[in-house]
Amino acid sequence: MQIKPALPRLNKWHLAVSVLGLSAALFSAQASASALEQFKQFVSSTQSAKGQFVQRLVKTDSGTVKVSNTSSGTFVFSRPGKFIWTYQKPYEQVLQADGDKLFIYDKDLNQVTTKKLGNALGSSPAAILFGSNDLEKNFTLKEGGAKDGMEWLEATPKSKDTTFDRIGIGLKDGVPQAMELRDSFGQTSLLSFTHFEKNPPLKATSFTFVVPKGADVFNN
């Protein structure tokens, strides 16, 4: 294994924060409960979860909604700061955090990029699902109303040091169905979730990253 300094082309932290912030499950609460009530109940009762996701980039051009860059895969997380976000299609890539470091593995290139987590989750979308339970420390939460058969919660980062203007979480019957990430560039990433399992049994070593044989490691 060869250790090298990070290269700019492999700096995928923004991608990691984006997608990581777009993951996972919110269970509990009754169907009549508000989105905020359902979300708070999920946060207080869910230490870990796993499931599947589909991610899309949504743009509106001249009044026409266009969907592109569709990808899919699986996720598993354990608070705080431990998760594995795996892209299976259209190409294989793994974003994994052990509570201390983030590892981004590109299978085709056989390369691993690492980054110290520190307080990086903070006001990022990743903090909503993978961080601590103290969400209102970093986000302003409010009801977003009903849309597409779901009750929506809006989370606005309090910090200005973030590329996201607003994060939406869509819930139905106490289960998160979707997340919307609206960035400062006018783009919206939409994630939909299926096959959620709340508090699944996980091994102590579940989030320990093992560098694949022969992979180059870039420290960022």
Side-chain angles (χ1 to χ4, degrees), residues 142-155:
K142 70 175 184 178
E143 297 292 334
K147 182 179 68 172
D148 300 329
M150 292 175 278
E151 293 294 329
W152 286 82
L153 176 67
E154 289 188 3

Side-chain angles (χ1 to χ4, degrees), residues 59-184:
K59 292 183 179 180
T60 301
D61 185 8
S62 301
T64 301
V65 177
K66 297 182 178 180
V67 179
S68 61
N69 297 348
T70 300
S71 56
S72 61
T74 64
F75 68 84
V76 57
F77 74 84
S78 178
R79 289 199 183 98
K82 296 180 180 180
F83 51 81
I84 304 173
W85 183 272
T86 304
Y87 286 100
Q88 297 173 331
K89 296 178 180 181
Y91 58 88
E92 295 185 45
Q93 186 182 56
V94 177
L95 287 69
Q96 183 166 334
D98 60 8
D100 180 50
K101 290 184 178 181
L102 172 70
F103 302 86
I104 305 172
Y105 173 56
D106 189 312
K107 183 176 181 179
D108 290 340
L109 298 177
N110 199 25
Q111 293 177 339
V112 177
T113 303
T114 71
K115 183 179 180 69
K116 188 79 172 179
L117 274 184
N119 295 322
L121 288 181
S123 296
S124 72
I128 292 180
L129 297 167
F130 309 136
S132 67
N133 292 348
D134 191 14
L135 296 176
E136 291 179 287
K137 176 182 178 181
N138 296 308
F139 295 90
T140 299
L141 305 177
K142 70 175 184 178
E143 297 292 334
K147 182 179 68 172
D148 300 329
M150 292 175 278
E151 293 294 329
W152 286 82
L153 176 67
E154 289 188 3
T156 303
K158 293 181 179 180
S159 172
K160 300 300 181 182
D161 187 21
T162 176
T163 57
F164 294 94
D165 294 331
R166 186 170 56 181
I167 301 163
I169 305 168
L171 301 102
K172 182 179 180 181
D173 298 330
V175 178
Q177 303 288 316
M179 288 186 75
E180 287 184 352
L181 298 180
R182 301 181 186 182
D183 64 27
S184 54

Side-chain angles (χ1 to χ4, degrees), residues 18-31:
S18 301
V19 298
L20 294 180
L22 305 169
S23 57
L26 298 145
F27 292 87
S28 77
Q30 298 178 353

